[in-house]
């Protein structure tokens, strides 16, 4: 089996044939991690509901949590308006980041708005 041709035709891949995949926690909207998918990884994710990514470094597929136990059960997958990013809404069990942190975005806050600016928004 392969990715539905209609969906495959909508994808805008980078020079390596990959699309960006953003994993977001169901219920909270917290962004957990960013990874990459090719057509096969997206097909596997859609059919198994297990987040499957393509490792650019190892040049292989990996199912999130397969070795760590920190799994992502996929509840929803959306394609962005440009077709170059997929958004996975997941139920994350354990840490999403390979460092052991809950999210890959815990460590480096580069900018944050003062409280008064947030309340005016």
């Amino acid at each position: 089996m392969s990715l539905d041709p209609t969906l495959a035709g909508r994808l805008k891949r980078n020079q390596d044939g990959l699309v960006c995949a953003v994993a977001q926690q169901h219920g909270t909207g917290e962004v957990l991690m960013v990874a990459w998918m090719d057509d096969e990884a997206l097909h596997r994710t859609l059919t198994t509901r297990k987040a499957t990514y393509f490792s650019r470094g190892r040049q292989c597929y990996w199912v999130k949590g397969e070795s760590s136990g920190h799994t992502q059960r996929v509840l929803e997958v959306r394609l962005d308006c440009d077709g170059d990013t997929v958004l996975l809404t997941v139920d994350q069990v354990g840490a999403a980041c390979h460092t052991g942190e809950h999210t890959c975005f815990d460590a480096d806050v580069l900018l944050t708005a003062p409280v008064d600016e947030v309340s005016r928004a």
Side-chain angles (χ1 to χ4, degrees), residues 18-46:
L18 305 172
V19 295
C20 180
V22 177
Q24 180 181 47
Q25 177 62 50
H26 169 72
T28 68
E30 181 178 31
V31 176
L32 300 171
M33 58 177 275
V34 174
W36 296 94
M37 291 182 162
D38 64 4
D39 289 22
E40 180 62 24
L42 181 54
H43 171 71
R44 290 180 188 189
T45 298
L46 293 171

Side-chain angles (χ1 to χ4, degrees), residues 56-116:
R56 295 175 298 166
R58 296 185 309 262
Q59 294 291 299
C60 65
Y61 298 101
W62 56 282
V63 176
K64 180 65 177 165
E66 197 169 53
S67 59
S68 69
H70 299 169
T71 58
Q72 291 178 347
R73 182 172 58 101
V74 179
L75 303 175
E76 183 176 76
V77 178
R78 293 177 179 236
L79 182 62
D80 81 333
C81 60
D82 295 324
D84 61 1
T85 304
V86 292
L87 175 65
L88 284 69
T89 303
V90 302
D91 181 18
Q92 177 70 46
V93 174
C97 187
H98 71 281
T99 65
E101 296 293 327
H102 176 67
T103 170
C104 293
F105 297 96
D106 278 346
D108 294 313
V109 177
L110 304 179
L111 177 69
T112 186
V115 174
D116 64 326

